[in-house]
Structure formats: C-alpha cells, structure tokens
Amino acid sequence: KRAYKPVSYVDQMAIHFSLNGNMIPKDSDEGRRQSIRLSIAAEKAPVENSAVTSEEAEIKDEESAGYTQAAEEEESEGSGTAEVAEASEAEEPPPPRVKEQKLANQFNFIERASRTLNNPMLERACQSEPTPCKNFSATANQWKIYDAYMEELQKMERSKEKEKPKAQIAKKEDEKKKGRKLTSLELQSDDITKISKAAKIMERMVNQNTFDDIAQDFKYFEDASDEYRDQQGTLLPLWKFQYDKTKRLAVTAISWNPKYKDLFAVGYGSYDFMKQGQGMLLLYSMKNPSFPEYVFSSESGIMCLDFHNDHPYLVAVGFYDGNVAIYNLKKATSQPSYKSSAKSGKHTEPVWQVKWQKDDMNNNLNFFSVSSDGRIVSWTLVQNELVHTDVIKLSAEGTTMQGPEGLQLQTLGCGTSFDFHKKIDYLFLVGTAEGKIYKCSKCYSSQFLDVFEAHHMAVDSVSWNPYHLKVFISCSSDWTVKIWDHTIKTPMFIYDLNSAVGDVAWSPYSSTVFAAVTTDGKAHVFDLSINKYEALCTQLVVAKKKNKITHIQFNPVHPVVIIGDERGHVTSLKLSPNLRKMPK
C-alpha cells in the first residue's frame, strides 16, 4: 500500500527505582520565578535591616528624644501654629524621624584604637576639662576586664582542645557542615550519593540472584560425606573475586575487616623484583563478588596491609619502594591520607609487613613496619604527619664484612615478617630472610631476647597463637611449617609440605587448627587435636602450572577462608564440618 502501518505501542520498560530530586533547571518557568524572588528579596534586605534597630535601648532613646523635641517646639510657637501643625498632621504623614547615631560597641575590636589607655587626644581633652573625665577611666577599666576575660577564654579553649580526641573534632566539623545551608553543588552531590547507594543495593540484589546457588551453599551447605571420611575434610569453592586491572599483578596481602565481617582488603604488587610496576589496593565484599567496593591505585606495588582494630576505616599499607601509608576509607580520595617520604625516614628496601599497635600515651595512632633493610620502625601519626622511630636494627650475628682499608662493616639482617604477642604488649617476633627468628622487646633496641635457628631459607610468615600464649608458628620457602614454644629453642612440630610454603594462619575458633598454602597450588588444613602428623585436608585450589598461591586468611566469624594467587584472583572456600570442630 506504500504507507506506514501503525503498530500498537508496548511499553517494555519496568521502573525498579525512582527518586524525586530538588534541582530545577534555570531556564524553566519555576527557575525564573525563584531567581526573580531572590533578587527582590536581596534588594529589600538592606532597607529592612537599616529600619530595624538592633537594641531596644536605642529605640527608647530615640522616642524620648522625639518627645522632648516636640515639647520644646510647642513652648516656642504659639497656639495658632500648633493648630496648623495638628491640621497638617491629619492631612499628611509625619516625616521620618532622624535616626540617632548608634552607640559604639565597647567590645568591638575595630573601634579599639579610640579606646586605648594612652590615646593622647582623649588624655588632653580630659586634662583640659575642669571635672575629671569619667569616660577615659571607665574605658580603661573596661579594656582591662576585656583583656582578662579574653585571656581566660583562650586558656579554657586550649585545655579543651588537649582533652578532645581526634574523632570528636571530626564530628564537630561534620556538625558545622550540617548547620550551614547547603549550596546547590552539595545538594547535587547529596542526590548522587542517594542514587549511588540505591544502585549499590540494586547491584547486590542482582548479584545475589545471579550467584544464588553459591549464596545458598555459603549459608546452608554442610558436607554430609564428612561422616564417612574418618576425620578428613574438604574445602568447598564459593565466589572468585577478580578485577580487570589486576590481572597481571599478584595478591601480596589480604586482611579481613575487624568490624564488617563480609569485607576484606587485597593488596596487589609483584614478588618478582625484575617486574616491578604499579600496585593496587582493592576492598571486596562477599555481598558483591563481581566488583570491588573501593579501588585505590599506587605508583609502587603494595606488599602488605593491616586494618586498625578500633578504627576499621583506616588501612596501613607498606610498598615495594620502602614507603608506608595510611588510607582513610571515609575520604573520597584515591590518594592515601598520610604517606612517608625520604625526609621522614622511609625504608630503603621493600616493606614486608605492617601491624597496627595500641595508641601511644597522647592517644596518637601508631603502627610498626618491617623491611629488608633490617629496620623495624614505629610510625606515629602526630598532627597529620607520620613521625618515625627506629625500634630495632636486625644485625646478622657473626657476619661482619671486610670493608675498604680494613674496616669491619656490620651487615644487617633482612626482616621479612613479624608478629606482636596477643597479651604481652612489648613482646614480638621477627622472621628474617636468613631463616632466623628473633624474639624482641620494644624496650630494648640494641639486643634480642632470643634467637631461633628456625629455617634454612627465608621465613615467609610468623604468627603467635591467639589462644595459647607460649606458642607460635612459622613457615618458610624451605618447604616446612614449624610450631614452637617460645621458651624452648627447638620446634615442637615440623611439617614438610613438599613445596615452598607461602603463608600460614591460625584459625580464629580453635587453638589447634591452622592452614597453610604452598606454591604448587594446594591448601593444607591441620587440626592438632585430631591428627598431629598429617593434614586433615590437602586440596588443589589453583590448577594452572604457571600460577602460585601466595596468601590465606580465615574469616573471623564465618567458616570461610580466602586464598590469593599470583594471577590477581582471590578465591573464597567453605570449610567442611570436620575442619571446624570446636575444642571441647
């Protein structure tokens, strides 16, 4: 028919979320109306302000002045003129009263020049008068009182500031922000945060539907075959966390958040010193495995990280270039809030581990770092600046080098890992690249409390048992995991895992359960109360030959472990019932 045929319209769009904003386009009718209203209000404002007097006393003074003026006029003029005046008053409104000059504000600092004790003009005027000048002496007294008052006020403010913790200061700033009227830009950003929050909830809902079977397994699946396995257990793979920009980076650090039990941080870098480049810090939630919650990129590779226990939004990070930094998750910036520099005593070698400590005597935040340069450094956050103190230098015993002209040079040990005792605040262990473990105290910077000839190769991880105060565990590239009593020089248990051991971790629910990962892609879970000689579970987690597992961490609440590898992937696995038996 050579004509367009009408098709009945079908609406294919379903609205999941809508939000009414409070922004109006300037060009619209309502926008024009509002701008006209604002301009009229702005014109009226100064007139109204000038008409309204600030103090009632001034009004009274003006009224009394007006009455006396009227009385004088009536006396001077005759009765005839008074009648004319009355008639004219009835016909036209009275002229506006002349506003008297406002009294000077005694406490206004701008006017202080005319109120000083030694104002020569005022002194001369007072001396020339026959009666003593009351104004001069009164003003002088007022300023003495005012100065004393200001001094006292400043003292009080200083003492208050000292007592205030940092958190309260931040809170006040927020309150101030809330108090003042928001600009259009802030209102706009407020709308964006509302939308982003709704979008985040939507994204999590979609993900929960997509990965519904995994979510069900995470919550409810219990491996029934454990009953027939003779104490053996299994690891059930759950979600895999990966991000496009971290494909070529290795997972160099993982840590669970102490407050939000579904949130964990992952540090990315490279263990190959020939292939060093950028690093990344990502924070993932188990509620959304498809995309990280926070993304931070860094110039140098990240080697280690740690969450603050009391302030879970603070993350301490150590870099390959020897720097340390603090990221604040509350601030919407991609850069760290605080970072060390060459001036502030950064390490000269990669930082292998960082650990938050209790706040110091002045309630300043502080953390420790260990590096290959043999220094263990305490970093304190003083007035928005990282201040360093060298706690101990690891000197390798009996390894003095012959320098030029017969000088004896002391070689430093390379620190690779450390851990602080859970109860004894000053006690800590340091693992080194030479295979030794040093027992140190924060109080002695020159000597060690003890030295353990632990391994034949670098100590990759050392960790105190969370329940048994004397026991610690260590693992090494020499294929072994060893369990020690810190009062005995020889290990209590030695486990050979047939491959270099990358990381070892105690479980949070039992003093006898620990897990280790090896470079051949396997995870091993032990329970000493069930079997002292063999692992209850040895399972392949990473299949490819070119890939290696680097780190493992237990979730503090759920029966879940997360394992990181050299391809930048993090895999979460659920422990079967045999692997998480609570001690009697």
Side-chain angles (χ1 to χ4, degrees):
K1 291 179 185 177
R2 294 177 176 272
Y4 287 107
K5 192 179 176 186
V7 178
S8 58
Y9 175 69
V10 181
D11 189 4
Q12 301 289 358
M13 190 168 78
I15 295 167
H16 290 287
F17 170 79
S18 69
L19 173 76
N20 292 328
N22 51 10
M23 290 181 285
I24 302 160
K26 282 183 179 177
D27 306 334
S28 68
D29 294 343
E30 183 58 33
R32 286 196 202 97
R33 264 184 236 125
Q34 284 199 16
S35 60
I36 292 160
R37 259 183 247 147
L38 283 166
S39 59
I40 292 164
E43 283 168 20
K44 277 185 184 177
V47 180
E48 285 171 11
N49 289 348
S50 61
V52 179
T53 53
S54 59
E55 293 175 35
E56 286 178 22
E58 283 184 19
I59 298 163
K60 285 176 185 173
D61 284 272
E62 282 178 21
E63 282 173 1
S64 61
Y67 294 144
T68 49
Q69 211 174 342
E72 282 167 13
E73 280 173 352
E74 277 174 27
E75 283 171 16
S76 60
E77 292 173 6
S79 59
T81 54
E83 282 169 12
V84 174
E86 276 172 24
S88 64
E89 267 177 31
E91 286 169 10
E92 53 185 35
R97 281 181 296 183
V98 180
K99 190 186 166 191
E100 258 194 13
Q101 196 176 356
K102 190 183 168 191
L103 289 168
N105 179 0
Q106 306 282 12
F107 283 79
N108 189 345
F109 71 93
I110 299 165
E111 297 166 350
R112 181 157 186 167
S114 60
R115 300 257 170 252
T116 45
L117 283 164
N118 54 355
N119 189 334
M121 298 299 289
L122 194 58
E123 278 185 67
R124 218 170 284 155
C126 290
Q127 283 161 9
S128 63
E129 278 176 23
T131 53
C133 180
K134 287 177 188 174
N135 187 23
F136 178 74
S137 59
T139 310
N141 287 336
Q142 277 171 352
W143 278 113
K144 277 179 189 170
I145 295 163
Y146 175 73
D147 287 339
Y149 165 75
M150 285 307 287
E151 209 174 303
E152 192 63 33
L153 200 69
Q154 282 169 351
K155 273 185 193 172
M156 282 165 71
E157 277 177 1
R158 272 189 223 119
S159 63
K160 270 182 192 173
E161 272 175 19
K162 281 179 186 174
E163 288 167 14
K164 264 183 206 166
K166 290 168 194 159
Q168 281 184 345
I169 295 166
K171 216 183 248 182
K172 275 206 167 184
E173 282 173 7
D174 290 346
E175 280 169 15
K176 277 181 192 171
K177 278 181 188 172
K178 282 176 191 170
R180 64 182 169 76
K181 284 183 179 177
L182 295 170
T183 62
S184 60
L185 195 76
E186 282 171 330
L187 283 168
Q188 192 173 339
S189 68
D190 191 41
D191 284 347
I192 291 162
T193 51
K194 277 184 191 173
I195 291 166
S196 68
K197 195 177 178 184
K200 194 174 270 188
I201 293 164
M202 288 297 299
E203 188 182 14
R204 287 182 179 182
M205 285 162 68
V206 170
N207 268 303
Q208 199 171 328
N209 290 339
T210 310
F211 301 109
D212 182 52
D213 50 345
I214 300 175
Q216 296 293 333
D217 285 348
F218 162 73
K219 191 76 178 164
Y220 303 112
F221 182 75
E222 302 296 348
D223 197 345
S225 60
D226 268 24
E227 290 177 32
Y228 314 104
R229 271 213 188 93
D230 188 32
Q231 312 290 358
Q232 296 288 310
T234 55
L235 294 169
L236 173 74
L238 297 173
W239 299 280
K240 196 172 195 176
F241 301 87
Q242 59 193 66
Y243 184 54
D244 287 343
K245 290 180 184 176
T246 60
K247 274 180 182 173
R248 294 186 180 181
L249 298 172
V251 173
T252 51
I254 43 179
S255 178
W256 288 98
N257 189 293
K259 186 177 179 185
Y260 303 101
K261 308 304 180 190
D262 60 295
L263 189 72
F264 62 91
V266 188
Y268 293 89
S270 174
Y271 285 123
D272 186 349
F273 73 95
M274 296 294 285
K275 293 178 184 174
Q276 284 303 319
Q278 288 190 323
M280 288 198 93
L281 170 64
L282 302 184
L283 277 94
Y284 280 105
S285 168
M286 290 200 293
K287 292 174 182 172
N288 180 6
S290 63
F291 201 80
E293 301 289 308
Y294 297 87
V295 179
F296 302 98
S297 56
S298 60
E299 291 168 15
S300 177
I302 289 171
M303 289 288 114
C304 52
L305 56 89
D306 189 34
F307 277 108
H308 196 288
N309 215 34
D310 301 326
H311 308 292
Y313 51 87
L314 293 178
V315 189
V317 172
F319 297 98
Y320 189 87
D321 63 4
N323 274 314
V324 293
I326 298 172
Y327 284 89
N328 188 341
L329 304 181
K330 283 186 172 180
K331 291 184 179 173
T333 58
S334 59
Q335 295 305 310
S337 300
Y338 312 100
K339 194 175 180 181
S340 65
S341 63
K343 283 182 186 174
S344 63
K346 79 175 187 93
H347 291 283
T348 53
E349 298 272 335
V351 181
W352 292 111
Q353 202 153 7
V354 286
K355 280 263 198 284
W356 284 103
Q357 289 298 290
K358 287 176 185 167
D359 295 358
D360 69 0
M361 306 285 269
N362 301 326
N363 287 334
N364 292 321
L365 300 167
N366 83 314
F367 65 92
F368 278 58
S369 64
V370 67
S371 164
S372 306
D373 63 2
R375 291 162 61 214
I376 289 159
V377 180
S378 168
W379 300 90
T380 310
L381 191 63
V382 182
Q383 292 176 346
N384 294 342
E385 196 180 348
L386 281 174
V387 179
H388 81 289
T389 312
D390 281 18
V391 179
I392 206 161
K393 279 198 171 90
L394 302 170
S395 56
E397 289 176 359
T399 53
T400 49
M401 265 167 44
Q402 195 75 23
E405 297 178 9
L407 284 170
Q408 292 291 311
L409 298 175
Q410 186 75 37
T411 58
L412 291 172
C414 297
T416 53
S417 59
F418 72 143
D419 194 26
F420 289 86
H421 198 279
K422 305 290 184 275
K423 293 282 188 290
I424 307 164
D425 191 44
Y426 60 83
L427 195 65
F428 65 98
L429 298 164
V430 184
T432 62
E434 297 81 53
K436 292 188 171 103
I437 294 175
Y438 296 100
K439 185 164 75 170
C440 310
S441 168
K442 288 183 193 176
C443 311
Y444 306 111
S445 59
S446 57
Q447 63 190 67
F448 312 116
L449 302 179
D450 215 339
V451 182
F452 299 91
E453 297 290 340
H455 295 276
H456 304 301
M457 289 175 78
V459 179
D460 291 321
S461 179
V462 61
S463 176
W464 287 101
N465 190 302
Y467 298 102
H468 201 299
L469 302 181
K470 282 186 178 180
V471 174
F472 69 89
I473 196 168
S474 66
C475 72
S476 166
S477 307
D478 67 359
W479 298 14
T480 59
V481 170
K482 296 184 182 182
I483 294 173
W484 307 75
D485 182 321
H486 79 87
T487 57
I488 305 165
K489 281 290 191 95
T490 53
M492 297 190 290
F493 296 100
I494 301 172
Y495 299 100
D496 189 337
L497 301 181
N498 297 324
S499 188
V501 186
D503 195 12
V504 68
W506 289 108
S507 79
Y509 52 83
S510 171
S511 62
T512 57
V513 177
F514 67 91
V517 287
T518 48
T519 50
D520 59 358
K522 288 178 182 171
H524 309 259
V525 184
F526 290 80
D527 190 342
L528 303 177
S529 65
I530 293 169
N531 189 338
K532 291 185 177 70
Y533 309 105
E534 289 177 343
L536 296 187
C537 170
T538 298
Q539 192 168 315
L540 197 69
V541 178
V542 176
K544 288 175 185 172
K545 284 185 179 178
K546 286 183 181 177
N547 204 349
K548 291 175 186 173
I549 296 182
T550 54
H551 286 279
I552 185 166
Q553 280 283 312
F554 281 89
N555 186 291
V557 177
H558 307 296
V560 170
V561 288
I562 46 172
I563 292 172
D565 60 40
E566 281 199 332
R567 290 286 178 88
H569 299 159
V570 178
T571 312
S572 56
L573 302 109
K574 187 176 183 180
L575 301 159
S576 68
N578 276 357
L579 302 180
R580 49 183 153 105
K581 285 182 178 168
M582 300 292 275
K584 290 190 177 70

